[in-house]
Amino acid sequence: MNKMTMVPLGYMLKSVTSPAPDWLNAPGVVAVHSLSNCISPDLGDYIPMWCHNGWWLFDTPDAADNVALTMGTSVDSLTLFYYEAFHQQFDEESETWMPFAPNDFATAVVAPYSAVLSGFDVVTFSVGTSPECSPLSCNRLAESLKVNQNCLFDSFDEARAAIENGSFRNSEPGPYRIIAIHAVDNFQAP
């Protein structure tokens, strides 16, 4: 059993889908806080600006805010999230946990001054760069697995157990990473 070590990934501004989509038959879910942008979209097409870090997120709240400003995207209706990942990803073929690393972009994530844990997501990274799908919402696994009001697991242990017992098998191609998702209370970093 691997010790739970979390790696800081960075920030993203998202348009949170709330209430949950009608097609998601998970009555307790009131919003989708997933890392993927399939249901709750990111601030826009930020990749061509090349301001992201090696995790394809932003190192600071200000960096995310500046990109939104440059793109002409209003942040008034967006929510700032901070992400951390379990230090290993689960390979579905070998059924083993293995290390992973950021891409070759400068990465210097600054922890948030204040944030509230929304829960733990399981996200696919078949290409190995940016986050892809969050099967809890994208593949409707929240309909059969116990999730919180944010369409996330309440604990790391629940996320890990669901991965290891095969609950994500045949949803989206892995590897799967466990992501802690935090809603940031404000845009001020220490």
Side-chain angles (χ1 to χ4, degrees), residues 3-15:
K3 179 183 170 194
M4 186 181 87
T5 302
M6 301 303 280
V7 176
L9 301 181
Y11 298 85
M12 179 56 67
L13 284 162
K14 298 182 75 67
S15 177

Side-chain angles (χ1 to χ4, degrees), residues 13 49 61-71:
L13 284 162
M49 297 183 71
D62 286 342
D65 193 39
N66 290 337
V67 167
L69 181 65
T70 301
M71 293 172 55

Side-chain angles (χ1 to χ4, degrees), residues 1-7 84-90 97-98 100 117-123 136 146-148 152-165 168 176-182:
M1 202 50 89
N2 299 317
K3 179 183 170 194
M4 186 181 87
T5 302
M6 301 303 280
V7 176
E84 299 172 302
F86 178 53
H87 73 286
Q88 294 188 326
Q89 63 187 6
F90 188 79
W97 291 94
M98 56 184 58
F100 62 95
L117 180 66
S118 292
F120 293 84
D121 201 2
V122 173
V123 183
L136 288 173
K146 181 183 173 214
V147 296
N148 64 22
L152 304 169
F153 292 108
D154 275 329
S155 73
F156 170 82
D157 291 335
E158 289 172 325
R160 183 179 186 135
I163 292 172
E164 290 178 347
N165 74 21
F168 288 84
Y176 305 113
R177 296 181 189 170
I178 299 174
I179 310 294
I181 299 180
H182 306 267

Side-chain angles (χ1 to χ4, degrees), residues 48-133:
M49 297 183 71
W50 299 107
C51 294
H52 57 278
N53 65 21
W55 303 112
W56 296 70
L57 297 168
F58 300 102
D59 285 334
T60 66
D62 286 342
D65 193 39
N66 290 337
V67 167
L69 181 65
T70 301
M71 293 172 55
T73 302
S74 171
V75 298
D76 293 342
S77 63
L78 301 178
T79 302
L80 182 66
F81 289 100
Y82 172 70
Y83 305 97
E84 299 172 302
F86 178 53
H87 73 286
Q88 294 188 326
Q89 63 187 6
F90 188 79
D91 179 77
E92 62 188 331
E93 292 178 17
S94 66
E95 296 187 356
T96 58
W97 291 94
M98 56 184 58
F100 62 95
N103 294 110
D104 293 333
F105 295 100
T107 302
V109 178
V110 175
Y113 175 72
S114 178
V116 176
L117 180 66
S118 292
F120 293 84
D121 201 2
V122 173
V123 183
T124 62
F125 285 83
S126 64
V127 178
T129 56
S130 59
E132 293 158 7
C133 290

